Amino acid sequence: FNLSPLKDADQKAQGVAIVLDDLTEQRQLKAQRRLFEKMVSPKVIDQLDPDEIALGGEKREITTMFADLRGFTHFSENTPPEELISILNQYISIFVDAALENEGTVDKIMGDEVMSWFNAPLPQPDHALRSIRSALKIRQDFQKIHAELPEHQHLSFGIGIHHGPAILGLVGCEDMVNFTAIGDSVNTTKRIQQNAKPGQILLSETAYQQLAALIEVREVDPFMVKGKTKPLS
């Protein structure tokens, strides 16, 4: 809102010019950009048009990855709060950085667990491979941090990866909104991660089929997960 005086040749005030700019849409776009800046890599944010994000939800094939810390509950019982948060942040940064380096989307951080996915908001034909590269980077970075930290601060990880359809969209209320993925494939990924042993990267047969010619795997025995009537391969 700008006011400017109107004066004649003798510099006598003749009136006022009033200019009103509606910045509502501009502020909304800035708010959406800030939201995605916390979720995706700079390479993705530069290509992203917030107007193209479906407010009502969009169905898309994605590869989801859940990664969590193993041994953190026991570690937290005997660790001072300042040390606990410091160590937690170092390990969580490994999870987040691995996803962002491969241009994935970090959906949420839940305590000692991170959920991320690939192939959205921008299409990524190699999204399954990106998830595998992220998981392998996590394993590599855990080895690096263990070389720096004292042994009592060594924690492990468990990773689950799955491929399938999910609903993507902005979920929340007027004061708080998140861009998230929901659906059976996301829930299944979570169950796979819960069955991973410390230091293990588990991927579903569905995810493996997307890149069978590119990776080497070791098949594990099928297991039951919540919400499924048949064992998961």
Side-chain angles (χ1 to χ4, degrees), residues 1-20:
F1 188 74
N2 295 294
L3 301 177
S4 301
L6 295 177
K7 297 181 179 181
D8 59 17
D10 297 327
Q11 295 300 307
K12 292 183 179 180
Q14 300 296 313
V16 178
I18 303 175
V19 180
L20 178 65

Side-chain angles (χ1 to χ4, degrees), residues 145-190:
I145 198 173
H146 285 172
E148 301 171 357
L149 295 176
E151 187 172 353
H152 77 277
Q153 294 179 345
H154 288 191
L155 302 177
S156 189
F157 63 84
I159 296 176
I161 297 174
H162 181 51
H163 172 277
I167 304 299
L168 302 155
L170 295 168
V171 176
C173 60
E174 183 177 350
D175 296 326
M176 179 176 291
V177 66
N178 287 305
F179 185 63
T180 189
I182 59 175
D184 178 69
S185 68
V186 176
N187 297 336
T188 300
T189 311
K190 169 71 172 179

Side-chain angles (χ1 to χ4, degrees), residues 66-73 75 84 87-95 110-114 138 142 146 153-159 193 198-199:
F66 275 85
D68 85 331
L69 286 175
R70 299 298 164 87
F72 181 72
T73 301
F75 175 72
L84 182 66
I87 296 302
L88 175 61
N89 286 338
Q90 291 183 61
Y91 281 113
I92 291 297
S93 293
I94 292 177
F95 293 154
M110 302 160 286
D112 62 348
E113 180 180 66
V114 174
I138 289 172
F142 263 65
H146 285 172
Q153 294 179 345
H154 288 191
L155 302 177
S156 189
F157 63 84
I159 296 176
Q193 174 262 308

Side-chain angles (χ1 to χ4, degrees), residues 92-106:
I92 291 297
S93 293
I94 292 177
F95 293 154
V96 172
D97 291 346
L100 295 182
E101 182 175 299
N102 289 279
E103 299 181 12
T105 298
V106 178

Side-chain angles (χ1 to χ4, degrees), residues 182-227:
I182 59 175
D184 178 69
S185 68
V186 176
N187 297 336
T188 300
T189 311
K190 169 71 172 179
R191 305 305 179 199
I192 294 173
Q193 174 262 308
Q194 290 174 333
N195 280 272
K197 298 177 182 178
Q200 189 176 46
I201 302 169
L202 276 183
L203 63 154
S204 67
E205 183 178 9
T206 307
Y208 172 64
Q209 290 173 352
Q210 305 299 312
L211 32 73
L214 301 175
I215 62 173
E216 294 182 1
V217 300
R218 177 176 59 83
E219 187 174 359
V220 300
D221 293 333
F223 49 79
M224 294 296 301
V225 299
K226 184 178 179 181

Side-chain angles (χ1 to χ4, degrees), residues 25-155:
E25 182 177 357
Q26 181 179 345
R27 288 176 175 172
Q28 289 175 341
L29 291 176
K30 286 183 178 179
Q32 288 182 343
R33 182 180 178 88
R34 286 196 298 270
L35 169 65
F36 285 105
E37 283 176 343
K38 299 177 182 179
M39 299 179 63
V40 301
S41 71
K43 293 181 181 179
V44 174
I45 198 70
D46 289 340
Q47 304 175 58
L48 189 61
D49 181 0
D51 286 337
E52 295 181 356
I53 302 300
L55 290 175
E58 173 191 6
K59 189 174 184 179
R60 184 180 294 190
E61 295 282 329
I62 64 172
T63 300
T64 308
M65 181 176 75
F66 275 85
D68 85 331
L69 286 175
R70 299 298 164 87
F72 181 72
T73 301
H74 176 72
F75 175 72
S76 64
E77 292 176 350
N78 304 300
T79 305
E82 297 82 0
E83 178 185 353
L84 182 66
I85 292 300
S86 175
I87 296 302
L88 175 61
N89 286 338
Q90 291 183 61
Y91 281 113
I92 291 297
S93 293
I94 292 177
F95 293 154
V96 172
D97 291 346
L100 295 182
E101 182 175 299
N102 289 279
E103 299 181 12
T105 298
V106 178
D107 188 303
K108 57 179 68 73
I109 300 172
M110 302 160 286
D112 62 348
E113 180 180 66
V114 174
M115 170 186 169
S116 57
W117 28 268
F118 303 80
N119 202 36
L122 296 178
Q124 297 167 324
D126 59 343
H127 55 95
L129 184 59
R130 289 173 186 264
S131 71
I132 297 297
R133 287 174 173 163
S134 298
L136 293 177
K137 178 173 172 53
I138 289 172
R139 184 170 68 183
Q140 181 181 16
D141 288 349
F142 263 65
Q143 293 172 350
K144 290 180 179 179
I145 198 173
H146 285 172
E148 301 171 357
L149 295 176
E151 187 172 353
H152 77 277
Q153 294 179 345
H154 288 191
L155 302 177

